Amino acid sequence: MSNLLDEKFTVVPGVFNPFAALLAKRNGFKAVYLSGGALTSSYGLPDLGMITITELADMVRKIHEVTDIPVIVDADTGFGETLNVYRTVRLLEDAGAAAIQIEDQVSPKRCGHLDGKEVISRENMIEKIRSANMARKKSLIIARTDSRAVKGLDEAVERARIYIDEGADIIFPEALTSVDEFKYVADKVDAPLLANMTEFGKTPLIDAGTFERLGYRFVIFPVTTFRAAARAMDETLKALKSDGTQKNIMNNLMTRAEQYDVINYKFYEDFDKNIAERDKKML
Ligand SMILES: C[C@](O)(C(=O)O)[C@H](CC(=O)O)C(=O)O
């Protein structure tokens, strides 16, 4: 089983490619969250369930290829119904996912912080959780409920309890609107909880320490790295367009040395060199 729950509390930044995951690890984070919203945005698409399971599994595999940091994967609504959920979990786990998150929204899903969401019935979600539970061998199953915004906080609490009883390991109560609501859920749900600290949504900015004090086991910052990178790219492009040179923004750029360090350039170079030398000796 994944050891994600060994830690008492884990701060988890969102990532959308292997480079971001490598950077997260270098900065001391112990897990990353492969965000559907950030990944689809990086493809130039809206977070409306438009990416395919193959694309998602491929990204998990690519991250797993270069780093052993545990990846929590946002699998949206599970890519279909019960049988699809089974296959989704198998594919993501085989690709290296440490935890797989499935939500109870109607497809096509929306960002949990937008209005106009709908949720599937409790029964329908129970089937998905059972299916995910049967499919997994070592990954954790995170059940996200979007019902707070649709049916109120007590329905979210009720669903959380049911989802845990049906085999989910962690509950992700989506789009809570205050510290009091996070506390309410923590008081009422006896299970590992994950808080979503996305920005520009329905949740005010709350720091990691507060979530830890409330008893949450994880806080994710799912789209923060994407939004920061997007802003940086935009400002860089504006400067290039207006100045025709990067001279004025050199301090904003990661250096070649730093970039190569992140991607372990030297390791691969040395590896290649050593192989060549070894070949020579053998001749
Ligand atoms: C967690 C989330 O599902 C994501 O895709 O990362 C989004 C985040 C966001 O859009 O800000 C969410 O629905 O909360």
Side-chain angles (χ1 to χ4, degrees):
M1 212 37 109
S2 157
N3 59 4
L4 264 179
L5 279 170
D6 290 356
E7 297 289 320
K8 203 172 141 271
F9 179 67
T10 312
V11 178
V12 189
V15 298
F16 50 99
N17 64 25
F19 191 89
L22 284 168
L23 269 183
K25 184 165 181 194
R26 284 175 82 83
N27 280 288
F29 291 97
K30 299 278 184 265
V32 291
Y33 179 80
L34 177 53
S35 153
L39 184 64
T40 41
S41 280
S42 76
Y43 289 168
L45 292 168
D47 187 16
L48 290 167
M50 290 178 72
I51 53 167
T52 62
I53 176 63
T54 322
E55 288 171 313
L56 184 63
D58 191 43
M59 186 54 77
V60 177
R61 204 172 293 111
K62 284 188 162 79
I63 293 173
H64 201 59
E65 179 190 338
V66 295
T67 169
D68 58 359
I69 195 165
V71 186
I72 300 175
V73 183
D74 175 4
D76 289 345
T77 57
F79 295 90
E81 293 306 317
T82 345
L83 282 177
N84 312 95
V85 169
Y86 185 89
R87 187 137 190 273
T88 292
V89 170
R90 288 282 1 107
L91 288 172
L92 293 177
E93 193 180 290
D94 282 350
I100 298 160
Q101 170 209 311
I102 295 170
E103 71 198 40
D104 60 6
Q105 275 201 63
V106 166
S107 294
K109 55 89 32 89
R110 301 164 66 81
C111 160
H113 290 255
L114 297 182
D115 294 326
K117 300 188 293 189
E118 285 176 65
V119 289
I120 58 176
S121 67
R122 292 177 177 188
E123 292 70 27
N124 197 177
M125 185 60 175
I126 287 169
E127 284 172 15
K128 289 190 179 190
I129 290 171
R130 285 184 185 161
S131 177
N133 197 16
M134 291 188 73
R136 60 88 167 267
K137 291 180 187 149
K138 53 185 182 190
S139 55
L140 299 173
I141 302 300
I142 303 176
R144 162 171 147 177
T145 180
D146 280 70
S147 51
R148 156 68 186 91
V150 187
K151 294 170 179 271
L153 201 53
D154 285 322
E155 174 70 10
V157 164
E158 209 34 51
R159 283 186 181 227
R161 288 177 176 157
I162 294 170
Y163 297 168
I164 285 291
D165 285 348
E166 294 296 340
D169 304 290
I170 299 165
I171 294 294
F172 172 169
E174 173 64 315
L176 305 190
T177 60
S178 63
V179 173
D180 285 351
E181 289 199 358
F182 280 101
K183 182 169 177 352
Y184 187 81
V185 172
D187 289 345
K188 303 254 171 195
V189 179
D190 184 18
L193 295 172
L194 178 150
N196 177 9
M197 192 51 273
T198 194
E199 49 283 301
F200 310 118
K202 294 199 182 294
T203 307
L205 297 185
I206 300 167
D207 59 75
T210 303
F211 288 117
E212 185 174 15
R213 275 193 296 283
L214 290 176
Y216 280 72
R217 301 292 299 276
F218 303 91
V219 56
I220 58 167
F221 292 85
V223 196
T224 314
T225 58
F226 175 83
R227 292 188 175 119
R231 174 68 82 211
M233 281 191 283
D234 195 43
E235 283 176 357
T236 303
L237 291 165
K238 284 189 169 68
L240 286 181
K241 187 85 170 57
S242 67
D243 305 348
T245 171
Q246 64 276 64
K247 274 186 198 154
N248 301 325
I249 53 162
M250 286 302 284
N251 285 342
N252 298 346
L253 306 186
M254 176 176 270
T255 65
R256 180 188 296 273
E258 288 166 329
Q259 173 197 347
Y260 283 11
D261 206 25
V262 174
I263 58 175
N264 283 317
Y265 193 100
K266 197 166 162 1
F267 164 79
Y268 294 107
E269 197 177 42
D270 288 351
F271 183 90
D272 198 27
K273 207 164 62 204
N274 293 340
I275 292 280
E277 275 164 15
R278 197 184 144 141
D279 283 349
K280 244 189 280 161
K281 271 188 224 139
M282 282 167 73
L283 281 175

